[in-house]
Amino acid sequence: MWSLSTVGDGLSQAEAVARENPEIVAVAAVVAAVVIIGGAYALLRARRTAGVRFRRLLAERDEIAVLMHPNPDPDAMSAALGVASLAEQLGVDATVQYPGQIRHQENRAFRTVLDLDLDPIAHVSDLAAESVVLVDHNEPRGFAGADGVLPFAVVDHHPGDGAGESFTDVRTDYGATASVIAEYFKENDATPVPPDKHESETDSDLTLPTDTATGLLYGILTDTKHLTVGASEPDFAAAAYVYPGVDQDRLDRIANPAVDAEVLEVKARAIAGRRVEGSFAVADVGGVNNIDAIPQAADELIQLEGVTAVIVIGERDGTVHLSGRSRDDRVHMGNAIDTVVSERENGDGGGHSRMGGGAIAPTIDPTSDEEPETVDRDALADDLFRAMAGDV
């Protein structure tokens, strides 16, 4: 049982030890200071926003390669444009690169109207810098040697296991990667530049240039279907932040380009040839020259009354392409397509709950003169119906 006298005796002994061994007191004071400073730094680091950390990491590089996913869409292009703009304002050389092609008429208009400098890549040796930033995907793909690339940073909104060596920011609750990049500018106090002003007219050290603001808004709008599908509160906030810098004329030119005649033909074939089971539809549009017509046909079919989930199938150069849309809470479109396509040789698929896609490449035997075995598209359609119904 402790008593006041016992406690007093203990304190007296401690004071005596301290007087006789002042070095102990000094060491204890240093240790306490280190603990306090370390704790304060850890707290400051924890509170530092992702945008600030990303900016500081960029500033440490001399040059970067901003890598988009194959056949980039407006969300990928706008996110890459944003990263490049931020890097260049920090004195860092930035090259935006992509594998595949830019085919969709809106994607081509996006590139042309905003006068984007984008470099194609076919091999890992084509990368413009050792420091690679992935945007709108979290695992490099689509070019030879992609599996050997270790990005130093990843910014994405798709689910996946990819990560950056120094920085990873994957927000699956966001509707667009463009929203994440817009947030980075906001967290670094960048001022959106109105289209009728020059960047030098702002008082901010960092700015959100008009072309970047216009691109980011379009990227947000396209990946969330004009903030109606898959959009979260941060997407609305990001759109509101970039809006003062948006050039309305250029935005309209991007959103309303001329439509390829084949796109209209493919849409017509999809509507006329659709198979319907309950509220699900599958349409095989046959051979196409422009594979971007396939997802556009899916966008058209999902608008039909009574249809809650749809998948469009098309073929080009022996490869079967699929694109699906869902507004049915029972159907996770990315999982449905992945389940069916991954069971077939050379098949690859996936996506979000509302949107998915996939492809099945032909199996080619270089030692044989026989034609590659074709995919049974009727059986494929049957499997897709079962997947949407949850029977696989």
Side-chain angles (χ1 to χ4, degrees):
M1 188 79 179
W2 291 94
S3 66
L4 290 176
S5 60
T6 302
V7 174
D9 291 342
L11 291 174
S12 298
Q13 293 175 5
E15 291 175 0
V17 170
R19 284 194 299 269
E20 296 173 1
N21 302 276
E23 68 278 5
I24 295 179
V25 177
V27 171
V30 171
V31 171
V34 170
V35 170
I36 292 172
I37 293 172
Y41 176 77
L43 181 61
L44 179 63
R45 185 176 179 82
R47 289 182 176 178
R48 189 180 299 162
T49 64
V52 172
R53 288 190 287 112
F54 183 67
R55 186 203 75 208
R56 293 183 178 181
L57 284 170
L58 278 184
E60 295 173 357
R61 268 69 186 176
D62 293 323
E63 58 180 0
I64 61 170
V66 187
L67 184 60
M68 301 181 286
H69 57 66
N71 312 319
D73 57 11
D75 187 29
M77 288 190 286
S78 65
L81 171 61
V83 171
S85 174
L86 182 59
E88 288 165 358
Q89 291 186 66
L90 299 172
V92 180
D93 290 333
T95 303
V96 178
Q97 298 184 285
Y98 67 96
Q101 297 177 317
I102 298 176
R103 295 182 301 253
H104 190 291
Q105 65 265 13
E106 289 182 11
N107 298 351
R108 297 200 306 271
F110 186 99
R111 180 180 186 175
T112 301
V113 171
L114 296 180
D115 193 24
L116 302 185
D117 186 10
L118 311 177
D119 291 349
I121 176 175
H123 190 274
V124 64
S125 60
D126 297 330
L127 285 172
E130 291 185 5
S131 296
V132 177
V133 180
L134 297 189
V135 293
D136 205 34
H137 65 310
N138 53 69
E139 293 181 277
R141 63 180 190 274
F143 57 93
D147 54 356
V149 175
L150 177 60
F152 94 86
V154 168
V155 185
D156 191 17
H157 75 125
H158 297 94
D161 299 325
E165 185 177 22
S166 302
F167 182 88
T168 303
D169 191 2
V170 178
R171 308 186 190 184
T172 56
D173 56 327
Y174 280 47
T177 302
S179 298
V180 182
I181 299 300
E183 201 169 282
Y184 287 178
F185 277 92
K186 185 177 182 180
E187 289 172 348
N188 283 287
D189 299 322
T191 301
V193 180
D196 59 347
K197 291 188 177 181
H198 189 268
E199 295 173 24
S200 61
E201 296 181 65
T202 68
D203 295 328
S204 177
D205 292 333
L206 289 176
T207 64
L208 178 64
T210 294
D211 56 352
T212 306
T214 304
L216 288 173
L217 180 60
Y218 193 72
I220 295 169
L221 294 177
T222 55
D223 249 35
T224 62
K225 291 192 177 299
H226 298 276
L227 295 170
T228 62
V229 178
S232 61
E233 182 178 346
D235 296 302
F236 284 89
Y241 163 68
V242 304
Y243 183 78
V246 172
D247 186 321
Q248 297 286 350
D249 176 65
R250 285 196 282 177
L251 185 67
D252 179 68
R253 288 163 56 196
I254 295 169
N256 297 290
V259 179
D260 189 289
E262 186 184 16
V263 173
L264 299 179
E265 293 172 3
V266 170
K267 287 182 177 181
R269 295 206 301 264
I271 294 172
R274 69 188 185 279
R275 283 176 52 187
V276 178
E277 294 186 9
S279 63
F280 306 149
V282 174
D284 187 343
V285 298
V288 298
N289 292 314
N290 180 2
I291 62 172
D292 285 315
I294 297 172
Q296 292 181 70
D299 288 334
E300 196 74 29
L301 282 186
I302 196 62
Q303 304 299 323
L304 296 179
E305 185 176 0
V307 174
T308 61
V310 61
I311 299 174
V312 177
I313 306 169
E315 181 270 332
R316 177 183 173 184
D317 296 333
T319 297
V320 174
H321 299 269
L322 303 90
S323 184
R325 301 292 184 268
S326 172
R327 50 190 177 90
D328 191 322
D329 290 336
R330 300 169 299 172
V331 181
H332 188 295
M333 185 53 67
N335 290 346
I337 291 179
D338 178 54
T339 298
V340 173
V341 171
S342 61
E343 293 179 347
R344 287 166 164 79
E345 189 173 4
N346 299 328
D348 180 52
H352 294 295
S353 60
R354 300 298 190 189
M355 182 183 303
I360 306 171
T363 301
I364 300 175
D365 184 355
T367 64
S368 174
D369 294 331
E370 295 182 5
E371 290 293 322
E373 185 176 344
T374 60
V375 175
D376 185 339
R377 299 210 294 265
D378 288 333
L380 177 62
D382 292 339
D383 289 345
L384 291 170
F385 274 119
R386 284 194 290 270
M388 286 190 285
D391 292 338
V392 294

